[in-house]
Each structure stands twice: as C-alpha cells, then as structure tokens.
Amino acid sequence: MLFERIQLEPDEKLLKTVRKHWFIITVELVAAAFMLIIPFVLLLLWSVLPEEFFTYTNLNLSDHSAMITFFLAGWSILSLMTAFATWTHYYLDLWIITDRRIIVVDQIHFFNRSVSIFRLERLQDIEFSIKGLIPTFLNFGSLHAQTASNNESNFSSRGLPDPRGLQALIQKAMDSRLRKLHITADEAGH
Amino acid sequence: MEPVTQNPFDSLGSSPLFNMAVMLDILFLLLLGIYVAYSAILVYHWKAYGIKSSLANLTLIIYFVSTIPLIILMGVIALTN
C-alpha cells in the first residue's frame, strides 16, 4: 500500500488527502459509459428500421447473432477497461498534506507516475486559480506552489476541490511549521 | 473475348485467407492477451499504490466480476464457431 512506501516521519501528522474534484471523474466516466452504449444504441436503431430495408439490402442481423454478440462483448470489455483505467488514475493521483510535507503523487498513465515531496519550510508561495463557469459553481481549480530550491521548484495540479481552502490549510501548516522550527532553533541556541 | 469479372467479396468467408472462424479465434486470443496484461497491471497498481486495501479489493472484484463473464462469452463463441 502507498503509505508503506511513503513512510511518514515519526510524529508526522496527516492533515488531508486530496484528489481531483468529483466533476472531473464524473465527466470521464460518463464518456466511458457513452463509449460502452454506442453499439447497443446502433443495434436498437437498426431494429427499428422498416422491414423493406432488410428485403432491399438482403441484410438480416439475426443470421449473424453470434458474431454480433462476440463484437459487443469485445467492445464492452474495452469500454470497461477504459473506465477502470480512468478510475485508477483518479484514485491514485493525489496530494497528501501533512504537518511537515506535501506529497504530490501524479498518476498520469499506468507507466507514468511521479511522486514529489516538498517540505513546508521550503515553500515560498502558494496560489490558486478558479477559471471558468463550471469550476466557479462547483468550487474547483488549480493550485500552484513554488519552493525555495532552484531546480524543478514549482509544482501545480489542476481540478482540485476547494483550492481556496487548500491554500489556507497549507499556509497555516507552513506557518505553524516555521514557528516550531524557530522555537526549536532558539532553544538550541540558548 | 469478354474479360471475366468477379466480385472479390463473393468468396469472402470461404477463402482460407479470410475464414471468419479463424478471424474470431485470432481476435479472441489477441483480446485475451491484452486483457491478461492489463489486468496484471491494474492489480499491481492497486496493490502497490492503493491507500485502503478494502477499496482496492472492491475495485478489483467489480472489475473481474464485470469482465470475466464477457471474456468467457467471447471464448465460447470463438471456439464453437
């Protein structure tokens, strides 16, 4: 499982686990459902064609029922595989916010996965944006963060729910982390 | 002498190069190979990167329950034709 691989530090508290907004996965799953039902709709349309059409073209689907069933089953499997890939990418693509770090897991494809870890004390700036009609109504958008290190110092993610709330949560965790580190440093100095 | 014209689709299905039963067998084996590889990848991802084992198991059960009967159906049609 994932947390066995990430291994939280001792006393590290998990604040929130965030996935993309439900609207994103719904749109993708509806697309897969449409893909699944297309041949069934075509068959239904075929069945309501007038009788003259079949006598004229000499085409009768009942003569090929086994082959049609074969292709329908194959198409359904491919559609289901698409739907499960969509669900897997949605579920495994997440942000883990702890009181010390932000762990960004990007599951783009099955063979394209990256895990980035950013320490809160190194975060410099975090901003969100909500663009468009649907994101505004459903309250989802992008979160973009910048760290103090030079290379690959930016990370961002789109379609996150309540980006304003997430920004506030990260900001609060970052302030609290810095305060704690300063207190520890002061104690060490005296 | 009149050239002999023949509709190339007349012999479709009876030609050894385009035998429908063989085509179904090949398509079935191809899809079966894709399905097995895809299923292995799916199981690996959920087992390795999932957060809740209960949800990972539920997802995999739904996946196999919904796809295995379709694979069996395809296999029966391909192998009995």
Side-chain angles (χ1 to χ4, degrees), chain B:
Chain B
M1 197 174 131
E2 287 283 314
V4 178
T5 54
Q6 190 185 1
N7 186 346
F9 295 101
D10 281 352
S11 60
L12 207 68
S14 58
S15 158
L17 287 174
F18 196 89
N19 188 319
M20 217 17 132
V22 174
M23 284 288 288
L24 287 186
D25 287 350
I26 292 170
L27 276 176
F28 170 66
L29 290 175
L30 189 72
L31 195 87
L32 186 67
I34 293 170
Y35 176 77
V36 169
Y38 176 90
S39 301
I41 294 165
L42 193 76
V43 169
Y44 171 77
H45 272 76
W46 278 96
K47 293 288 175 196
Y49 306 124
I51 291 177
K52 284 183 193 165
S53 60
S54 57
L55 188 74
N57 291 336
L58 183 68
T59 301
L60 294 173
I61 287 168
I62 294 172
Y63 169 72
F64 285 117
V65 165
S66 59
T67 52
I68 285 176
L70 294 169
I71 284 284
I72 293 171
L73 179 67
M74 285 183 78
V76 168
I77 293 170
L79 300 174
T80 54
N81 272 284

Coordinates of all heavy atoms in Angstrom, one line a residue, chain B:
Chain B
M1 N -12.8 -11.4 -76.8 CA -13.2 -12.2 -75.7 C -13.5 -11.3 -74.5 O -12.7 -10.4 -74.2 CB -12.1 -13.2 -75.3 CG -12.6 -14.3 -74.5 SD -11.3 -15.5 -74.3 CE -11.3 -15.7 -72.5
E2 N -14.6 -11.5 -73.9 CA -15.1 -10.6 -72.8 C -14.2 -10.9 -71.5 O -13.9 -12.1 -71.2 CB -16.5 -10.9 -72.4 CG -17.5 -10.4 -73.4 CD -17.8 -8.9 -73.2 OE1 -17.9 -8.4 -72.1 OE2 -17.7 -8.2 -74.2
P3 N -13.7 -9.9 -70.9 CA -12.9 -10.1 -69.6 C -13.8 -10.7 -68.5 O -15.0 -10.3 -68.4 CB -12.4 -8.8 -69.2 CG -13.3 -7.8 -69.9 CD -13.8 -8.4 -71.1
V4 N -13.3 -11.6 -67.8 CA -14.1 -12.3 -66.7 C -14.0 -11.3 -65.5 O -12.9 -11.0 -65.0 CB -13.5 -13.6 -66.4 CG1 -14.3 -14.3 -65.2 CG2 -13.5 -14.5 -67.6
T5 N -15.2 -10.9 -65.1 CA -15.2 -10.0 -63.9 C -15.8 -10.9 -62.7 O -16.8 -11.6 -62.9 CB -16.1 -8.8 -64.1 OG1 -17.4 -9.2 -64.6 CG2 -15.5 -7.8 -65.1
Q6 N -15.2 -10.7 -61.6 CA -15.6 -11.5 -60.5 C -15.6 -10.6 -59.3 O -14.7 -9.8 -59.0 CB -14.7 -12.7 -60.2 CG -15.3 -13.6 -59.2 CD -14.3 -14.7 -58.8 OE1 -13.2 -14.8 -59.4 NE2 -14.7 -15.6 -57.9
N7 N -16.8 -10.6 -58.5 CA -16.8 -9.8 -57.3 C -15.9 -10.4 -56.3 O -16.0 -11.6 -55.9 CB -18.3 -9.8 -56.8 CG -18.5 -8.9 -55.6 OD1 -17.5 -8.4 -55.0 ND2 -19.7 -8.6 -55.3
P8 N -14.9 -9.6 -55.8 CA -13.9 -10.2 -54.9 C -14.6 -10.6 -53.5 O -14.0 -11.3 -52.8 CB -12.9 -9.1 -54.7 CG -13.6 -7.8 -55.1 CD -14.6 -8.2 -56.1
F9 N -15.7 -10.0 -53.3 CA -16.4 -10.3 -52.0 C -17.3 -11.6 -52.0 O -17.8 -12.0 -51.0 CB -17.2 -9.1 -51.5 CG -16.3 -7.9 -51.2 CD1 -16.2 -6.9 -52.1 CD2 -15.6 -7.9 -50.0 CE1 -15.4 -5.8 -51.8 CE2 -14.8 -6.8 -49.7 CZ -14.7 -5.7 -50.6
D10 N -17.4 -12.1 -53.2 CA -18.3 -13.3 -53.4 C -17.7 -14.5 -52.5 O -18.5 -15.2 -51.9 CB -18.3 -13.8 -54.8 CG -19.3 -12.9 -55.6 OD1 -20.0 -12.1 -54.9 OD2 -19.4 -13.0 -56.8
S11 N -16.4 -14.6 -52.5 CA -15.8 -15.7 -51.8 C -15.4 -15.4 -50.4 O -14.8 -16.2 -49.7 CB -14.6 -16.2 -52.6 OG -13.7 -15.1 -52.6
L12 N -15.8 -14.2 -49.9 CA -15.5 -13.8 -48.6 C -16.1 -14.8 -47.5 O -17.3 -15.1 -47.6 CB -16.0 -12.4 -48.3 CG -15.3 -11.5 -47.3 CD1 -13.9 -11.2 -47.8 CD2 -16.1 -10.3 -47.0
G13 N -15.3 -15.2 -46.7 CA -15.8 -16.2 -45.7 C -15.5 -17.6 -46.0 O -15.3 -18.4 -45.1
S14 N -15.3 -17.9 -47.3 CA -15.0 -19.3 -47.6 C -13.5 -19.4 -48.0 O -13.0 -20.5 -47.9 CB -15.8 -19.7 -48.8 OG -15.6 -18.9 -49.9
S15 N -12.8 -18.3 -48.3 CA -11.4 -18.3 -48.6 C -10.6 -18.7 -47.4 O -10.9 -18.2 -46.3 CB -11.0 -17.0 -49.1 OG -9.6 -16.8 -49.0
P16 N -9.6 -19.5 -47.5 CA -8.8 -19.9 -46.4 C -8.1 -18.7 -45.8 O -7.7 -18.7 -44.6 CB -7.8 -20.9 -46.9 CG -7.9 -20.9 -48.4 CD -9.1 -20.2 -48.8
L17 N -7.9 -17.6 -46.6 CA -7.2 -16.4 -46.1 C -8.2 -15.6 -45.2 O -7.7 -14.7 -44.5 CB -6.7 -15.6 -47.3 CG -5.4 -16.1 -48.0 CD1 -5.1 -15.3 -49.2 CD2 -4.3 -16.2 -47.0
F18 N -9.4 -15.7 -45.5 CA -10.4 -14.9 -44.7 C -11.5 -15.8 -44.2 O -12.6 -15.7 -44.5 CB -11.0 -13.8 -45.7 CG -11.7 -12.7 -44.9 CD1 -11.0 -11.6 -44.5 CD2 -13.0 -12.8 -44.6 CE1 -11.6 -10.6 -43.8 CE2 -13.7 -11.8 -43.9 CZ -12.9 -10.7 -43.5
N19 N -11.1 -16.7 -43.3 CA -12.1 -17.6 -42.7 C -12.5 -16.9 -41.4 O -11.8 -16.6 -40.5 CB -11.3 -18.9 -42.4 CG -12.3 -19.9 -41.9 OD1 -13.2 -19.6 -41.1 ND2 -12.1 -21.1 -42.4
M20 N -13.9 -16.7 -41.4 CA -14.4 -16.0 -40.2 C -14.1 -16.6 -38.9 O -13.8 -16.0 -37.9 CB -15.9 -15.8 -40.4 CG -16.5 -14.5 -40.0 SD -15.4 -13.2 -39.7 CE -16.2 -11.9 -40.6
A21 N -14.2 -18.0 -38.9 CA -13.9 -18.7 -37.6 C -12.5 -18.5 -37.1 O -12.3 -18.3 -36.0 CB -14.2 -20.2 -37.8
V22 N -11.6 -18.5 -38.1 CA -10.2 -18.3 -37.7 C -10.0 -16.8 -37.3 O -9.3 -16.5 -36.3 CB -9.2 -18.6 -39.0 CG1 -7.8 -18.2 -38.6 CG2 -9.3 -20.0 -39.3
M23 N -10.7 -15.9 -38.0 CA -10.6 -14.5 -37.6 C -11.1 -14.3 -36.1 O -10.5 -13.5 -35.3 CB -11.5 -13.6 -38.5 CG -10.9 -13.4 -39.8 SD -9.5 -12.2 -39.8 CE -10.3 -10.7 -39.5
L24 N -12.2 -14.9 -35.8 CA -12.7 -14.8 -34.4 C -11.7 -15.4 -33.4 O -11.5 -14.8 -32.3 CB -14.1 -15.6 -34.3 CG -15.3 -14.9 -35.0 CD1 -16.5 -15.7 -34.6 CD2 -15.5 -13.5 -34.6
D25 N -11.1 -16.5 -33.8 CA -10.1 -17.1 -32.9 C -9.0 -16.2 -32.6 O -8.5 -15.9 -31.5 CB -9.6 -18.4 -33.5 CG -10.6 -19.6 -33.4 OD1 -11.6 -19.4 -32.7 OD2 -10.3 -20.6 -34.0
I26 N -8.5 -15.6 -33.7 CA -7.3 -14.6 -33.6 C -7.7 -13.4 -32.8 O -7.0 -13.0 -31.9 CB -6.8 -14.2 -35.0 CG1 -6.2 -15.4 -35.7 CG2 -5.8 -13.1 -34.9 CD1 -5.9 -15.2 -37.2
L27 N -8.9 -12.9 -33.1 CA -9.4 -11.7 -32.3 C -9.5 -12.0 -30.8 O -9.1 -11.2 -30.0 CB -10.7 -11.2 -32.9 CG -10.6 -10.3 -34.1 CD1 -12.0 -10.0 -34.6 CD2 -9.9 -9.0 -33.8
F28 N -10.0 -13.2 -30.6 CA -10.2 -13.6 -29.2 C -8.9 -13.7 -28.5 O -8.7 -13.2 -27.4 CB -11.0 -14.9 -29.1 CG -11.1 -15.5 -27.7 CD1 -11.7 -14.8 -26.7 CD2 -10.4 -16.6 -27.4 CE1 -11.7 -15.3 -25.4 CE2 -10.4 -17.1 -26.1 CZ -11.1 -16.5 -25.1
L29 N -7.9 -14.4 -29.1 CA -6.6 -14.6 -28.5 C -5.9 -13.2 -28.3 O -5.3 -13.0 -27.2 CB -5.8 -15.5 -29.3 CG -6.2 -17.0 -29.3 CD1 -5.4 -17.8 -30.2 CD2 -6.2 -17.6 -27.9
L30 N -6.1 -12.3 -29.2 CA -5.5 -11.0 -29.1 C -6.1 -10.2 -28.0 O -5.3 -9.7 -27.1 CB -5.7 -10.2 -30.4 CG -5.0 -8.9 -30.6 CD1 -3.5 -9.2 -30.9 CD2 -5.6 -8.1 -31.8
L31 N -7.4 -10.3 -27.9 CA -8.1 -9.5 -26.8 C -7.7 -10.2 -25.4 O -7.6 -9.5 -24.4 CB -9.6 -9.5 -27.0 CG -10.2 -8.5 -26.1 CD1 -10.2 -7.1 -26.7 CD2 -11.6 -8.8 -25.8
L32 N -7.6 -11.5 -25.4 CA -7.3 -12.2 -24.2 C -5.9 -11.8 -23.7 O -5.7 -11.6 -22.5 CB -7.4 -13.8 -24.4 CG -7.2 -14.6 -23.2 CD1 -8.4 -14.5 -22.2 CD2 -7.1 -16.1 -23.6
G33 N -5.0 -11.7 -24.6 CA -3.6 -11.3 -24.3 C -3.6 -9.9 -23.7 O -3.0 -9.6 -22.6
I34 N -4.3 -9.0 -24.3 CA -4.4 -7.6 -23.9 C -5.1 -7.6 -22.5 O -4.6 -6.9 -21.6 CB -5.2 -6.7 -24.9 CG1 -4.5 -6.6 -26.2 CG2 -5.6 -5.4 -24.3 CD1 -5.3 -6.0 -27.3
Y35 N -6.1 -8.4 -22.3 CA -6.9 -8.4 -21.1 C -6.0 -8.9 -19.9 O -6.0 -8.3 -18.8 CB -8.1 -9.3 -21.2 CG -8.9 -9.5 -20.0 CD1 -9.7 -8.5 -19.5 CD2 -8.8 -10.7 -19.2 CE1 -10.5 -8.6 -18.3 CE2 -9.6 -10.8 -18.1 CZ -10.4 -9.8 -17.6 OH -11.1 -10.0 -16.4
V36 N -5.3 -10.0 -20.2 CA -4.4 -10.6 -19.1 C -3.3 -9.5 -18.7 O -3.1 -9.3 -17.5 CB -3.8 -11.9 -19.6 CG1 -2.7 -12.4 -18.6 CG2 -4.9 -13.0 -19.7
A37 N -2.7 -8.9 -19.7 CA -1.6 -7.9 -19.4 C -2.2 -6.8 -18.6 O -1.7 -6.3 -17.6 CB -1.0 -7.5 -20.7
Y38 N -3.3 -6.3 -19.1 CA -4.0 -5.1 -18.5 C -4.4 -5.4 -17.1 O -4.2 -4.6 -16.1 CB -5.2 -4.7 -19.3 CG -6.0 -3.6 -18.7 CD1 -5.7 -2.2 -19.0 CD2 -7.1 -3.8 -17.8 CE1 -6.5 -1.2 -18.5 CE2 -7.8 -2.8 -17.3 CZ -7.5 -1.5 -17.6 OH -8.2 -0.5 -17.1
S39 N -5.0 -6.6 -16.9 CA -5.4 -7.0 -15.5 C -4.3 -7.1 -14.6 O -4.4 -6.6 -13.4 CB -6.1 -8.3 -15.6 OG -7.2 -8.3 -16.4
A40 N -3.1 -7.6 -15.0 CA -1.9 -7.7 -14.2 C -1.5 -6.3 -13.8 O -1.1 -6.1 -12.6 CB -0.8 -8.5 -14.9
I41 N -1.5 -5.4 -14.7 CA -1.0 -4.0 -14.4 C -2.0 -3.4 -13.4 O -1.6 -2.7 -12.5 CB -1.0 -3.2 -15.8 CG1 0.1 -3.7 -16.7 CG2 -0.7 -1.7 -15.5 CD1 0.0 -3.3 -18.1
L42 N -3.3 -3.6 -13.7 CA -4.3 -3.0 -12.8 C -4.1 -3.5 -11.3 O -4.1 -2.7 -10.4 CB -5.7 -3.3 -13.3 CG -6.9 -2.5 -12.7 CD1 -6.9 -1.1 -13.3 CD2 -8.2 -3.2 -13.0
V43 N -4.0 -4.8 -11.2 CA -3.9 -5.4 -9.9 C -2.6 -4.9 -9.2 O -2.6 -4.5 -8.0 CB -3.8 -7.0 -10.0 CG1 -3.4 -7.6 -8.7 CG2 -5.2 -7.5 -10.4
Y44 N -1.5 -4.8 -10.0 CA -0.2 -4.3 -9.4 C -0.4 -2.9 -8.9 O 0.0 -2.6 -7.8 CB 0.9 -4.4 -10.5 CG 2.1 -3.7 -10.0 CD1 3.0 -4.3 -9.1 CD2 2.4 -2.4 -10.4 CE1 4.1 -3.6 -8.6 CE2 3.5 -1.7 -9.9 CZ 4.4 -2.3 -9.0 OH 5.5 -1.7 -8.5
H45 N -1.0 -2.0 -9.7 CA -1.2 -0.6 -9.3 C -2.0 -0.5 -8.0 O -1.7 0.3 -7.1 CB -1.8 0.2 -10.4 CG -0.8 0.7 -11.3 ND1 -0.1 0.0 -12.3 CD2 -0.2 2.0 -11.4 CE1 0.7 0.7 -12.9 NE2 0.7 1.9 -12.4
W46 N -3.1 -1.3 -7.9 CA -4.0 -1.1 -6.8 C -3.3 -1.7 -5.5 O -3.5 -1.2 -4.4 CB -5.3 -1.8 -7.0 CG -6.2 -0.9 -7.8 CD1 -6.4 -0.8 -9.1 CD2 -7.0 0.2 -7.2 NE1 -7.3 0.2 -9.5 CE2 -7.7 0.9 -8.3 CE3 -7.2 0.7 -6.0 CZ2 -8.5 2.0 -8.2 CZ3 -8.1 1.8 -5.8 CH2 -8.7 2.4 -6.9
K47 N -2.6 -2.8 -5.7 CA -1.9 -3.4 -4.6 C -0.7 -2.6 -4.1 O -0.5 -2.5 -2.9 CB -1.5 -4.9 -4.9 CG -2.6 -5.8 -5.1 CD -3.3 -6.2 -3.9 CE -4.5 -7.1 -4.1 NZ -5.4 -7.2 -3.0
A48 N 0.0 -2.0 -5.0 CA 1.2 -1.2 -4.7 C 0.9 0.2 -4.2 O 1.5 0.7 -3.3 CB 2.1 -1.2 -5.9
Y49 N 0.0 0.8 -4.9 CA -0.2 2.3 -4.6 C -1.6 2.6 -4.0 O -1.8 3.8 -3.8 CB -0.1 3.0 -6.0 CG 1.2 2.8 -6.7 CD1 1.2 2.3 -8.0 CD2 2.4 3.0 -6.0 CE1 2.4 2.1 -8.7 CE2 3.6 2.7 -6.7 CZ 3.6 2.3 -8.0 OH 4.8 2.0 -8.6
G50 N -2.5 1.7 -3.8 CA -3.7 2.0 -3.2 C -3.6 2.4 -1.8 O -2.5 2.2 -1.1
I51 N -4.6 3.1 -1.2 CA -4.4 3.6 0.2 C -5.2 2.7 1.1 O -4.7 2.2 2.1 CB -4.9 5.0 0.3 CG1 -3.9 5.9 -0.4 CG2 -5.0 5.5 1.7 CD1 -4.2 7.4 -0.5
K52 N -6.5 2.4 0.7 CA -7.3 1.4 1.5 C -7.3 0.1 0.8 O -7.7 0.0 -0.3 CB -8.7 2.0 1.7 CG -8.9 3.1 2.6 CD -10.3 3.5 2.7 CE -10.5 4.8 3.3 NZ -11.9 5.4 3.1
S53 N -7.0 -0.9 1.6 CA -7.0 -2.3 0.9 C -8.4 -2.7 0.6 O -8.7 -3.4 -0.3 CB -6.3 -3.3 1.8 OG -6.9 -3.4 3.0
S54 N -9.4 -2.2 1.5 CA -10.8 -2.6 1.2 C -11.3 -2.1 -0.1 O -11.9 -2.8 -0.9 CB -11.7 -2.1 2.4 OG -11.5 -0.7 2.5
L55 N -10.9 -0.8 -0.4 CA -11.4 -0.2 -1.7 C -10.6 -0.8 -2.9 O -11.2 -1.1 -3.9 CB -11.1 1.3 -1.6 CG -11.7 2.0 -2.8 CD1 -13.2 2.1 -2.7 CD2 -11.1 3.4 -3.0
A56 N -9.4 -1.1 -2.7 CA -8.6 -1.8 -3.7 C -9.2 -3.2 -4.1 O -9.4 -3.5 -5.2 CB -7.2 -2.0 -3.3
N57 N -9.6 -3.9 -3.0 CA -10.2 -5.2 -3.3 C -11.6 -5.1 -3.9 O -11.9 -5.8 -4.8 CB -10.4 -6.0 -1.9 CG -9.0 -6.4 -1.4 OD1 -8.0 -6.5 -2.1 ND2 -8.9 -6.6 -0.1
L58 N -12.3 -4.1 -3.5 CA -13.7 -3.9 -4.0 C -13.6 -3.5 -5.5 O -14.3 -4.1 -6.4 CB -14.4 -2.8 -3.3 CG -15.8 -2.5 -3.7 CD1 -16.8 -3.6 -3.4 CD2 -16.4 -1.2 -3.1
T59 N -12.6 -2.6 -5.9 CA -12.4 -2.3 -7.3 C -12.1 -3.5 -8.1 O -12.6 -3.7 -9.2 CB -11.3 -1.2 -7.4 OG1 -11.7 -0.1 -6.6 CG2 -11.1 -0.8 -8.8
L60 N -11.2 -4.3 -7.6 CA -10.7 -5.4 -8.4 C -11.8 -6.5 -8.5 O -11.9 -7.1 -9.6 CB -9.4 -6.0 -7.7 CG -8.2 -5.1 -7.8 CD1 -7.0 -5.7 -7.0 CD2 -7.8 -4.9 -9.2
I61 N -12.6 -6.6 -7.4 CA -13.7 -7.6 -7.5 C -14.7 -7.2 -8.6 O -15.1 -7.9 -9.5 CB -14.4 -7.8 -6.1 CG1 -13.5 -8.6 -5.2 CG2 -15.7 -8.5 -6.3 CD1 -13.9 -8.6 -3.7
I62 N -15.1 -5.9 -8.6 CA -16.1 -5.4 -9.5 C -15.5 -5.5 -11.0 O -16.2 -5.9 -11.9 CB -16.4 -3.9 -9.3 CG1 -17.2 -3.8 -7.9 CG2 -17.2 -3.3 -10.4 CD1 -17.4 -2.4 -7.4
Y63 N -14.2 -5.2 -11.1 CA -13.5 -5.3 -12.4 C -13.6 -6.8 -12.9 O -14.1 -7.0 -14.1 CB -12.1 -4.9 -12.3 CG -11.3 -5.2 -13.5 CD1 -11.4 -4.5 -14.7 CD2 -10.3 -6.2 -13.5 CE1 -10.7 -4.8 -15.9 CE2 -9.6 -6.5 -14.7 CZ -9.8 -5.8 -15.8 OH -9.1 -6.1 -16.9
F64 N -13.2 -7.7 -12.1 CA -13.2 -9.1 -12.6 C -14.6 -9.7 -12.8 O -14.9 -10.4 -13.7 CB -12.4 -10.0 -11.7 CG -10.9 -9.8 -11.8 CD1 -10.1 -9.3 -10.8 CD2 -10.3 -10.0 -13.0 CE1 -8.8 -9.1 -11.0 CE2 -8.9 -9.8 -13.2 CZ -8.2 -9.3 -12.2
V65 N -15.5 -9.3 -11.9 CA -16.9 -9.8 -12.0 C -17.6 -9.3 -13.3 O -18.4 -10.0 -13.9 CB -17.7 -9.4 -10.7 CG1 -19.2 -9.6 -10.9 CG2 -17.3 -10.3 -9.5
S66 N -17.2 -8.0 -13.7 CA -17.9 -7.5 -14.8 C -17.2 -7.9 -16.1 O -17.8 -7.9 -17.2 CB -17.9 -5.9 -14.7 OG -16.6 -5.4 -14.6
T67 N -15.9 -8.3 -16.1 CA -15.2 -8.6 -17.3 C -15.0 -10.1 -17.6 O -15.1 -10.5 -18.8 CB -13.8 -7.9 -17.4 OG1 -13.1 -8.2 -16.2 CG2 -13.9 -6.4 -17.5
I68 N -14.9 -10.9 -16.6 CA -14.6 -12.3 -16.8 C -15.8 -13.0 -17.6 O -15.6 -13.7 -18.6 CB -14.3 -13.1 -15.5 CG1 -12.8 -12.7 -15.1 CG2 -14.4 -14.6 -15.7 CD1 -12.4 -13.3 -13.8
P69 N -17.1 -12.7 -17.2 CA -18.2 -13.3 -18.0 C -18.1 -13.0 -19.5 O -18.4 -13.8 -20.4 CB -19.4 -12.8 -17.3 CG -19.0 -12.4 -16.0 CD -17.6 -12.0 -16.1
L70 N -17.7 -11.7 -19.8 CA -17.6 -11.3 -21.2 C -16.5 -12.0 -21.9 O -16.7 -12.4 -23.1 CB -17.4 -9.8 -21.2 CG -18.5 -8.9 -20.7 CD1 -18.1 -7.4 -20.6 CD2 -19.7 -9.0 -21.7
I71 N -15.4 -12.2 -21.2 CA -14.3 -13.0 -21.8 C -14.7 -14.4 -22.1 O -14.4 -15.0 -23.2 CB -13.0 -12.9 -20.9 CG1 -12.3 -11.6 -21.0 CG2 -12.0 -14.0 -21.2 CD1 -11.5 -11.3 -22.2
I72 N -15.4 -15.0 -21.1 CA -15.9 -16.4 -21.3 C -16.8 -16.5 -22.5 O -16.7 -17.4 -23.3 CB -16.5 -16.9 -20.0 CG1 -15.5 -17.1 -18.9 CG2 -17.2 -18.3 -20.2 CD1 -16.0 -17.3 -17.5
L73 N -17.7 -15.5 -22.6 CA -18.7 -15.5 -23.7 C -18.0 -15.4 -25.0 O -18.3 -16.1 -26.0 CB -19.6 -14.3 -23.5 CG -20.7 -14.0 -24.5 CD1 -21.7 -15.2 -24.5 CD2 -21.4 -12.7 -24.3
M74 N -17.0 -14.5 -25.1 CA -16.2 -14.4 -26.3 C -15.5 -15.7 -26.7 O -15.5 -16.1 -27.8 CB -15.2 -13.3 -26.2 CG -15.8 -11.9 -26.3 SD -14.5 -10.6 -26.2 CE -13.9 -10.7 -27.9
G75 N -14.9 -16.3 -25.6 CA -14.2 -17.5 -25.8 C -15.1 -18.6 -26.4 O -14.8 -19.4 -27.3
V76 N -16.3 -18.7 -25.8 CA -17.3 -19.8 -26.2 C -17.7 -19.6 -27.6 O -17.7 -20.5 -28.4 CB -18.5 -19.8 -25.2 CG1 -19.6 -20.6 -25.8 CG2 -18.1 -20.3 -23.8
I77 N -18.0 -18.3 -28.0 CA -18.4 -18.0 -29.4 C -17.2 -18.3 -30.3 O -17.4 -18.9 -31.4 CB -18.8 -16.6 -29.5 CG1 -20.1 -16.3 -28.7 CG2 -19.1 -16.2 -31.0 CD1 -20.5 -14.9 -28.6
A78 N -16.0 -17.9 -30.0 CA -14.9 -18.1 -30.9 C -14.5 -19.5 -31.1 O -14.2 -20.0 -32.2 CB -13.7 -17.3 -30.3
L79 N -14.6 -20.3 -30.0 CA -14.2 -21.7 -30.1 C -15.2 -22.6 -30.6 O -14.9 -23.8 -31.0 CB -13.6 -22.2 -28.7 CG -12.4 -21.3 -28.2 CD1 -12.1 -21.8 -26.8 CD2 -11.2 -21.5 -29.1
T80 N -16.5 -22.2 -30.5 CA -17.5 -23.1 -31.0 C -17.9 -22.8 -32.5 O -18.7 -23.5 -33.1 CB -18.8 -23.0 -30.1 OG1 -19.2 -21.7 -30.0 CG2 -18.6 -23.6 -28.8
N81 N -17.4 -21.7 -33.0 CA -17.8 -21.4 -34.4 C -16.7 -21.9 -35.4 O -15.6 -22.0 -35.1 CB -17.9 -19.9 -34.6 CG -19.3 -19.4 -34.3 OD1 -20.2 -19.6 -35.1 ND2 -19.5 -18.9 -33.1

